[in-house]
Amino acid sequence: MQLLFNTLKQYSLWDKIKTIVNLGSCWGEEDVVFSENFPESQIFCYEPNPASYPKLLKTIEGRSNIFPQNVAVGEKSGIIDFHQSTNRHGTSSVFPSSGLYDCIEKLPSQKIQVHCVRLDENLKKLGAQLASDTDSE
């Protein structure tokens, strides 16, 4: 994350950040860091795993610029399969096992269904301030 922050500062982008989107927030630790460094920005965090979401809410409690969503993000809205790790929340995925990542894919998981939204539609519905809305160049 420090590399991201250094790059934003190097290119004088720090003060231009109005909206931050975090896909796969897990427990929200990064969202808190974003909130502390960009207190005037809107932070939209998406975590589809119903087992992780309550801890995410607890982590971000009291931060009025963080907007959590308990949904997946995809190319169309609806209900999708989600492969929920039964013992390591951060290894859950919308993608089924492919056999390419043995260390992660051998962890026990169960297939559940979760809500999925299109990011553009959801951000517009939530009132996010997007660069395309504010740039005149």
Side-chain angles (χ1 to χ4, degrees), residues 22-28 31 44-57 67-73 82 84 89-93 114-115:
N22 186 4
L23 303 179
S25 284
C26 198
W27 294 334
D31 303 306
F44 297 92
C45 54
Y46 293 82
E47 178 50 54
N49 190 340
S52 299
Y53 194 69
K55 186 164 182 179
L56 165 66
L57 293 178
F67 305 93
Q69 302 290 305
N70 189 200
V71 296
V73 173
F82 183 75
Q84 181 185 43
H89 297 233
T91 61
S92 299
S93 178
V114 298
H115 290 278

Side-chain angles (χ1 to χ4, degrees), residues 18-23 25 31 42-46 65-69 119 122-123 126-130:
K18 302 293 180 218
T19 303
I20 297 169
V21 176
N22 186 4
L23 303 179
S25 284
D31 303 306
Q42 297 174 307
I43 301 154
F44 297 92
C45 54
Y46 293 82
N65 65 331
I66 300 178
F67 305 93
Q69 302 290 305
L119 185 61
N122 190 256
L123 288 174
L126 295 172
Q129 184 178 354
L130 305 176

Side-chain angles (χ1 to χ4, degrees), residues 1-20 30-43 65:
M1 187 159 314
Q2 192 58 49
L3 177 62
L4 170 64
F5 290 169
N6 290 343
T7 302
L8 291 172
K9 288 177 183 176
Q10 177 183 353
Y11 292 100
S12 301
L13 298 173
W14 192 266
D15 295 330
K16 295 180 182 180
I17 304 296
K18 302 293 180 218
T19 303
I20 297 169
E30 290 140 344
D31 303 306
V32 170
V33 173
F34 287 134
S35 179
E36 290 169 348
N37 284 278
F38 301 96
E40 302 301 316
S41 296
Q42 297 174 307
I43 301 154
N65 65 331

Side-chain angles (χ1 to χ4, degrees), residues 55-118:
K55 186 164 182 179
L56 165 66
L57 293 178
K58 186 169 179 67
T59 302
I60 65 169
E61 190 172 2
R63 297 186 180 272
S64 61
N65 65 331
I66 300 178
F67 305 93
Q69 302 290 305
N70 189 200
V71 296
V73 173
E75 61 185 327
K76 58 184 177 179
S77 296
I79 303 294
I80 63 167
D81 290 339
F82 183 75
H83 306 276
Q84 181 185 43
S85 174
T86 55
N87 62 358
R88 295 186 68 195
H89 297 233
T91 61
S92 299
S93 178
V94 297
F95 301 109
S97 295
S98 66
L100 296 174
Y101 306 98
D102 285 345
C103 60
I104 294 173
E105 292 180 348
K106 288 184 179 177
L107 295 172
S109 66
Q110 62 185 358
K111 184 166 68 170
I112 63 172
Q113 293 193 317
V114 298
H115 290 278
C116 182
V117 298
R118 281 181 47 108

